[in-house]
Amino acid sequence: MARKPESEERKTVGINKETVTNTVSTDFPDNYPDADESWDKDWFAENLRIEFHQNDQFEAQFSLIGVDASIANAFRRILISEIPTLAIETVFVNNNTGVIQDEVLAHRLGLIPFTGGKEGIRNFMTWWHKPAEGEDTYSTTYDHNTIQLRLQVKCEHNPDAAPGETDSRKLYHNAHIYAKDIVFEPVGKQEKYFSGDDVIRPTNPDILIAKLRPGQVIDLEMHMHKGVGSDHSKFSPVATASYRLMPVIKILQPILGDDAKKFQECFMPGTIKLEKVTKKTAKEDPQYAGHEGETMAVVDNAMYDTVSREVLRHEEFEGKVKLGRKRDHFIYSIESTGQWDSDELFLESVRTMKKKVQKLQTQVENMVYTYSG
């Protein structure tokens, strides 16, 4: 028996005034009579869909349709913690006479996202290993696992400042230290991968690092390494990676006139639109018969809804609207920190998931072979 897709009613989470119903997935064998709900690869491939709503370099929003919540959440967790990036790991403080303590300054530097040539970051750069106890600090440092940066600034009076000037940025040189003041120092083969437009640089050059006053100095050397978010959040390639279920809004009875305007105000802008009842509408739906020319509420784009349930507070809408969420329709929002383009991140999470599944498959096969032998 070929698997049939779940009915819309069965895969919709019910959003009621005080309760949430139908939250548990039921698409598994023997849950419904005369229904084969066993997982099928061909059925999955046919019903899986990805629809982009926004695709910018640093931010993407798309719908992932036709998967279970466990799969959708696995992608989210991979996005946050398993896709590698470069970040400042070690800070050597030669001199710091500013007001920010060494450890706080090092922490701020570690959280600055950097970017550079994609080929170099992803394929040339490899994992760095901490030196064993007693080994020299640089014993495991090579051009293919360490990016060297320097921040060397001194605050001085600006002799050309206007009399009575109060803006410290005009009164002094280097009063504000920004991410753009960090200098990349290539070594070995790094020049091949990180030069010109591909040079290692902060994704946002205007991130404020510290404020100095005349005579204060910051002189640092920094080592940047490859890592993943599960080690430290500074390695996470996303500022945010989240999803929500697609809202469902069903108008069961006509909502007309002033009620239609009030109904529209219960939802986020763009969710509900107001239209005139036409003869065609009245012919297709007998409930609108005799209301030609009146204003009616119509669902425009349910994706904009936040499912606040505001509409359920009003007696005049009782029994006229039904709210829900599609259990297999996930609206993803991904905001990249800059090393990866936002749409690339999801594709990389899929590749990572595939590798994890292949490892698990090998382990299961070995386990079966061991026990059967």
Side-chain angles (χ1 to χ4, degrees), residues 173-187:
H173 292 304
N174 297 323
H176 289 190
I177 309 306
Y178 296 98
K180 61 188 175 186
D181 295 316
I182 297 175
V183 178
F184 165 54
E185 298 182 335
V187 294

Side-chain angles (χ1 to χ4, degrees), residues 188-228:
K189 293 183 179 179
Q190 291 178 1
E191 194 116 29
K192 174 183 176 182
Y193 296 95
F194 306 118
S195 59
D197 293 337
D198 294 331
V199 70
I200 295 291
R201 62 196 183 279
T203 58
N204 185 343
D206 297 323
I207 295 175
L208 182 65
I209 297 174
K211 294 183 180 181
L212 301 180
R213 289 299 178 264
Q216 294 180 343
V217 175
I218 292 179
D219 184 2
L220 311 172
E221 181 184 337
M222 294 155 282
H223 285 181
M224 183 185 290
H225 303 301
K226 205 169 191 176
V228 292

